[in-house]
Amino acid sequence: QVQLQESGPGLVKPSGTLSLTCTVSGGSISNSHWWTWVRQSPGKGLEWVGEIFHGGRTNYNPSLKSRVTISVDKSKSQFSLNLTSVTAADTAVYYCAREDHSGTYAFDSWGQGALVTVSS
Amino acid sequence: QSVLTQPPSVSGAPGQRVTISCTGSSSNIGAGYDVHWYQQLPGTAPKLLIFGNNNRPSGVPDRFSGSKSGSSASLAITGLQAEDEADYYCQSYDNGLRVFGGGTKLTVL
């Protein structure tokens, strides 16, 4: 069973860059899946941020596209999220997840989530 | 404003049946894209509940079922239990990008 774990700073200053890493274990990051970031602002619903395939192809939420970069490091079995020019509106729990392309074609595995607060 | 519309809340007594709707449009559900459903218990990560409109992952009770018709989908829960109290989200695709519904809070009375 694949497991995902987010890591990174829990506090980011306004106008700074939010950086998170998701470590994948129990399965290969090079399998035919898409690796995804989803965020949830306090008391709000889920928002798809973007995704990456192990070969480097990416798709981003149009509302965040100008500020988001998702990258992958296959040697470390990790993928990362960078979000620039953050504001308080970017305060959220950030989840990494796997979009399974071997059966469900859904987000079948999730990390526990990482709370990132944007504040000075 | 979410691309997929869900009722903010639904409720039911133990043992009852409830349904949660997810309404989209011709660019997402109506275009033939699959709908998935997730359950999020308080303070936890979402969990896949239904995939491909009406399929349950291993371990999900058959009290949960999904359906899709036209530009809408529904999640039905029968034999409601206290442990079902959670937030439920539908998810699909819009022009190839992933989109979520706004979420529905289920209260077990």
Side-chain angles (χ1 to χ4, degrees):
Chain A
Q1 178 76 0
V2 70
Q3 293 185 319
L4 296 91
Q5 178 68 59
E6 305 88 351
S7 59
L11 181 64
V12 181
K13 288 183 167 40
S15 77
T17 297
L18 180 159
S19 297
L20 291 172
T21 296
C22 181
T23 301
V24 179
S25 60
S28 174
I29 201 169
S30 296
N31 283 348
S32 297
H33 305 300
W34 284 82
W35 304 95
T36 299
W37 289 97
V38 174
R39 71 179 185 178
Q40 185 170 35
S41 300
K44 302 296 184 184
L46 302 173
E47 180 181 26
W48 178 73
V49 174
E51 62 186 5
I52 189 165
F53 191 62
H54 68 81
R57 271 180 61 195
T58 54
N59 292 309
Y60 299 130
N61 187 321
S63 69
L64 300 169
K65 189 172 184 177
S66 63
R67 300 193 291 130
V68 171
T69 303
I70 298 176
S71 58
V72 64
D73 186 337
K74 289 183 282 186
S75 68
K76 294 182 179 179
S77 220
Q78 295 177 333
F79 62 105
S80 299
L81 169 69
N82 269 16
L83 182 66
T84 61
S85 304
V86 297
T87 69
D90 296 308
T91 293
V93 175
Y94 286 77
Y95 295 100
C96 59
R98 183 183 81 169
E99 185 178 70
D100 167 42
H101 278 242
S102 64
T104 67
Y105 291 88
F107 302 128
D108 70 335
S109 299
W110 295 71
Q112 64 185 28
L115 174 62
V116 179
T117 301
V118 178
S119 175
S120 55
Chain B
Q1 191 92 9
S2 301
V3 173
L4 306 178
T5 300
Q6 298 180 233
S9 63
V10 298
S11 63
Q16 284 190 332
R17 178 181 186 270
V18 297
T19 61
I20 298 172
S21 61
C22 175
T23 303
S25 67
S26 58
S27 66
N28 41 68
I29 299 175
Y33 290 114
D34 280 346
V35 177
H36 314 301
W37 290 90
Y38 302 87
Q39 177 193 60
Q40 187 177 33
L41 297 170
T44 69
K47 168 192 165 187
L48 180 62
L49 197 64
I50 296 287
F51 67 92
N53 306 315
N54 55 11
N55 300 286
R56 287 184 308 276
S58 172
V60 172
D62 59 7
R63 302 186 296 106
F64 296 90
S65 63
S67 63
K68 173 189 160 184
S69 177
S71 297
S72 296
S74 289
L75 172 71
I77 309 172
T78 58
L80 207 56
Q81 299 180 3
E83 67 206 48
D84 298 332
E85 188 159 290
D87 293 325
Y88 293 83
Y89 295 89
C90 60
Q91 180 248 314
S92 187
Y93 310 83
D94 194 289
N95 291 317
L97 301 178
R98 285 68 171 153
V99 290
F100 285 99
T104 298
K105 181 175 181 57
L106 168 63
T107 299
V108 180
L109 301 171

